Amino acid sequence: MREGGRIDVDEAAVIARVRAGEAEAYAELVRAHTAPALRVAVAFGAGADAEDVVQAAFFKAYRSLGSFRDGSPFRSWLMRIVVNETRNTVRSSARQRAATGREAALTEAEPLIPESADPAVAAVEEERRAQLTAALDQLSEEHRQVVTCRYLLEMDEAETATALGWARGTVKSRLNRALKKLSRILPQALRAEEGGEDHA
């Protein structure tokens, strides 16, 4: 079953089953979160290593499931592991993914434009996203990360804070500064991307 494009899983029940010794139940969590995990890995520069990064992250999450705090959102906790694993991979390989490659991989991981969309509308949307991605590369790493989480990966504030390992106040302040800088670099694309979000 899917809700809002995501596979709907009773995560607490699945985690309880895994902790009770039903290891194969973990596959339900893997299926539910593989697509967003791949998008995070690609967005943070994993490139061709994205699948390996996600596989390693799922393995680490499985091994750490005993320390997972009941009642917390599993997705946010997992995405923090994916982000950390991606950072380690990028650091060890000493390379960064080009903006165009990152955007292309994000698009492949999960279509951003419905197939039924008007071709002209789709072309404008693709161009706008390409411009935004190019603008993101002019931001500092921390500002690029917070904008990527909130807008490209559509995480809410709490998920962003968990994934990046920051306090929510830090997410707010860095996002505010990043948006101000982006508004100077690319005001039209930013306004369209935000879809009416408050700049404050």
Side-chain angles (χ1 to χ4, degrees):
M1 179 178 175
R2 287 179 178 269
E3 274 186 11
R6 294 180 189 170
I7 299 174
D8 184 26
V9 171
D10 184 346
E11 294 174 350
V14 173
I15 290 169
R17 286 163 57 198
V18 175
R19 286 174 170 169
E22 193 181 334
E24 59 272 18
Y26 190 65
E28 293 182 37
L29 294 175
V30 172
R31 282 193 296 273
H33 297 288
T34 292
L38 280 170
R39 293 189 72 199
V40 168
V42 169
F44 280 84
D49 296 322
E51 289 188 5
D52 291 338
V53 164
V54 169
Q55 186 175 15
F58 274 118
F59 179 68
K60 288 184 176 180
Y62 178 78
R63 288 178 53 185
S64 303
L65 211 52
S67 64
F68 175 72
R69 194 170 71 245
D70 290 333
S72 300
F74 177 80
R75 179 177 185 258
S76 303
W77 180 75
L78 173 67
M79 294 312 151
R80 182 171 186 177
I81 296 173
V82 173
V83 168
N84 289 337
E85 191 66 22
T86 303
R87 286 172 177 162
N88 292 339
T89 299
V90 170
R91 208 167 16 241
S92 66
S93 62
R95 61 181 169 78
Q96 293 287 342
R97 186 133 176 106
T100 52
R102 182 168 61 245
E103 178 66 11
L106 271 171
T107 304
E108 289 169 15
E110 184 173 320
L112 298 169
I113 303 167
E115 291 181 9
S116 60
D118 181 289
V121 173
V124 170
E125 178 71 11
E126 287 176 1
E127 174 65 17
R128 184 166 57 78
R129 282 192 170 271
Q131 289 175 342
L132 180 65
T133 303
L136 284 175
D137 274 5
Q138 298 181 49
L139 300 180
S140 68
E141 182 180 359
E142 289 176 341
H143 288 171
R144 186 167 58 249
Q145 288 175 350
V146 72
V147 173
T148 296
C149 284
R150 292 288 280 116
Y151 293 102
L152 289 180
L153 300 174
E154 300 177 353
M155 294 183 181
D156 62 25
E157 189 177 280
E159 287 179 315
T160 299
T162 300
L164 296 176
W166 300 346
R168 289 183 69 164
T170 302
V171 169
K172 283 183 179 179
S173 62
R174 288 180 179 168
L175 181 62
N176 184 48
R177 288 194 292 271
L179 291 179
K180 283 181 178 177
K181 183 166 184 181
L182 269 181
S183 69
R184 291 192 295 270
I185 298 170
L186 201 61
Q188 290 182 341
L190 177 66
R191 282 197 296 271
E193 185 66 16
E194 286 187 87
E197 288 262 6
D198 188 0
H199 278 267

